[in-house]
Amino acid sequence: MKIKLFLIIFFISFLGKSQEITVFYKEKRKPAQISRRHAPMDTEHFKVYMDEIKRIKAASIADKDKDSTDIFRQMIQEQADKMSAHSMKIFKETKKKSLDIPAYDFVTVLKIKNENSLYYPQDKVSNDTVSYTRTNKTGREFVDERVNYNNSEIIYINHKKDQKISSLKIYEFDQRNRQFLIEEKLMDLQWILTKETKKVDQYVCYKAVLNNSDKRVEAWYTKEIIANHGPKGYYGLPGLILELKEGKKTVRFHKIHLLSSDTMDIKPPTEGEKITREELKDLPSKLFNEY
């Protein structure tokens, strides 16, 4: 019994002194999806409408009576309306097929070395397009496609330099697949520590709620691993954050590696268009005005 107790105390002490840690987290993710449907215009009918519009335009040019201009313009509009109605009829003939993909486990990594940390996706994140082609009874082909937009964030924190550098791809702000780089000072995160506890894996965790945030942020941290870090760029608690609830999204502890055999090299991200946090917040309205 004494030996067992000694091993437990030694293990906890070992975790507390460990300066190089790699933590893996899991979260359920589902990409934002935008559907597009391509219903090609029937070539033969399209040609008939276009030929008729050309004929009317030629007649209007040849007619020297300026009073008839409005009549020709109305005739062209009628042909354009017919062409649009025909296109809509074809479009409605398509049957929508679900291209939804189920939620999946998205794994992220938090590397910690002394006062530095780097948080990033385990696998490369990119947008992808799913599509299918079908032919209706009349032989017309239709293409449905769905673009899956995936967010990506790499967050570097250096407590000694009071520095945070983030490389972000966020579809809500920009669907042109641009990457943004934000360099900023660390905020003073005001955590409210509670006495509420629960076990996450084998670790006893305490609940903390972030006070100075525009959204609900709840963290579960363990004092058994002394590390002032956590997932998604959160920090400032007296122990490693093993579970984080940010709004409706939850990032959960998956596994941990202590003192990796490889020398851990933590470097800040460098890729992306440099902007400020405020500029990123203003980007949706700016893009809306551009379009």
Side-chain angles (χ1 to χ4, degrees):
M1 182 68 182
K2 289 183 178 179
I3 295 174
K4 186 176 180 181
L5 182 61
F6 172 77
L7 289 174
I8 292 173
I9 295 171
F10 174 79
F11 182 67
I12 292 175
S13 175
F14 175 77
L15 289 178
K17 293 178 181 178
S18 176
Q19 297 298 307
E20 295 188 8
I21 305 172
T22 302
V23 192
F24 295 84
Y25 298 89
K26 272 186 181 180
E27 62 178 294
K28 287 292 182 183
R29 270 206 182 185
K30 190 174 182 181
Q33 298 173 324
I34 296 179
S35 296
R36 297 171 182 168
R37 182 172 300 171
H38 303 280
M41 171 67 70
D42 182 295
T43 306
E44 185 178 340
H45 282 83
F46 184 79
K47 188 175 184 303
V48 170
Y49 292 125
M50 290 305 297
D51 286 346
E52 182 62 16
I53 288 174
K54 287 179 182 178
R55 186 191 66 78
I56 295 170
K57 284 185 175 180
S60 67
I61 293 172
D63 195 319
K64 295 180 180 180
D65 186 357
K66 293 183 179 180
D67 294 335
S68 60
T69 302
D70 289 340
I71 297 175
F72 284 117
R73 187 175 297 163
Q74 184 178 351
M75 291 170 65
I76 291 174
Q77 185 61 51
E78 287 175 357
Q79 291 301 314
D81 290 343
K82 287 180 182 179
M83 188 165 60
S84 178
H86 184 73
S87 178
M88 184 58 67
K89 181 182 176 182
I90 294 174
F91 181 83
K92 288 180 179 180
E93 288 178 7
T94 64
K95 293 182 179 179
K96 188 175 181 180
K97 179 179 178 181
S98 175
L99 296 174
D100 268 344
I101 62 175
Y104 59 93
D105 285 331
F106 182 75
V107 179
T108 50
V109 183
L110 175 66
K111 285 191 174 183
I112 303 169
K113 184 175 183 180
N114 300 323
E115 297 186 46
N116 299 346
S117 70
L118 185 67
Y119 180 72
Y120 59 93
Q122 183 182 43
D123 300 318
K124 186 178 180 181
V125 179
S126 60
N127 299 332
D128 63 282
T129 303
V130 182
S131 63
Y132 79 98
T133 304
R134 62 177 291 272
T135 305
N136 69 1
K137 294 179 181 179
T138 63
R140 297 193 188 102
E141 284 191 348
F142 303 97
V143 179
D144 275 13
E145 67 178 16
R146 178 156 293 184
V147 182
N148 300 316
Y149 289 102
N150 295 277
N151 289 351
S152 172
E153 56 185 355
I154 301 171
I155 303 173
Y156 168 83
I157 289 177
N158 187 319
H159 283 284
K160 192 173 182 179
K161 293 183 178 180
D162 192 28
Q163 181 185 52
K164 179 179 179 182
I165 301 176
S166 308
S167 180
L168 308 170
K169 282 186 178 182
I170 308 178
Y171 84 92
E172 292 101 329
F173 294 112
D174 190 7
Q175 295 174 7
R176 287 181 281 181
N177 206 32
R178 289 189 296 176
Q179 193 162 350
F180 300 101
L181 190 70
I182 301 175
E183 297 182 19
E184 55 195 327
K185 287 186 176 182
L186 293 178
M187 283 181 59
D188 179 21
L189 300 182
Q190 299 173 10
W191 294 100
I192 299 173
L193 307 184
T194 74
K195 294 182 180 180
E196 189 176 344
T197 65
K198 74 173 182 178
K199 270 205 166 184
V200 176
D201 197 61
Q202 63 184 354
Y203 305 104
V204 176
C205 291
Y206 295 82
K207 180 180 175 181
V209 179
L210 189 58
N211 192 33
N212 57 334
S213 175
D214 56 356
K215 53 189 168 185
R216 172 79 176 181
V217 178
E218 177 183 300
W220 291 87
Y221 67 96
T222 178
K223 297 178 182 179
E224 297 173 27
I225 306 176
I226 308 302
N228 184 19
H229 301 276
K232 299 184 74 67
Y234 287 95
Y235 50 87
L237 287 169
L240 178 67
I241 299 173
L242 294 185
E243 184 173 304
L244 182 81
K245 293 183 179 179
E246 186 185 47
K248 296 181 180 180
K249 298 177 181 179
T250 302
V251 180
R252 291 185 172 89
F253 170 78
H254 177 43
K255 60 183 178 180
I256 188 168
H257 291 164
L258 300 165
L259 294 176
S260 174
S261 57
D262 299 328
T263 302
M264 192 180 293
D265 190 17
I266 295 180
K267 293 182 178 180
T270 57
E271 294 184 3
E273 175 187 336
K274 286 189 177 183
I275 62 172
T276 65
R277 183 70 61 179
E278 290 302 315
E279 286 173 337
L280 184 68
K281 289 179 181 179
D282 294 338
L283 194 57
S285 56
K286 181 180 178 182
L287 292 174
F288 179 80
N289 292 332
E290 286 181 6
Y291 296 141

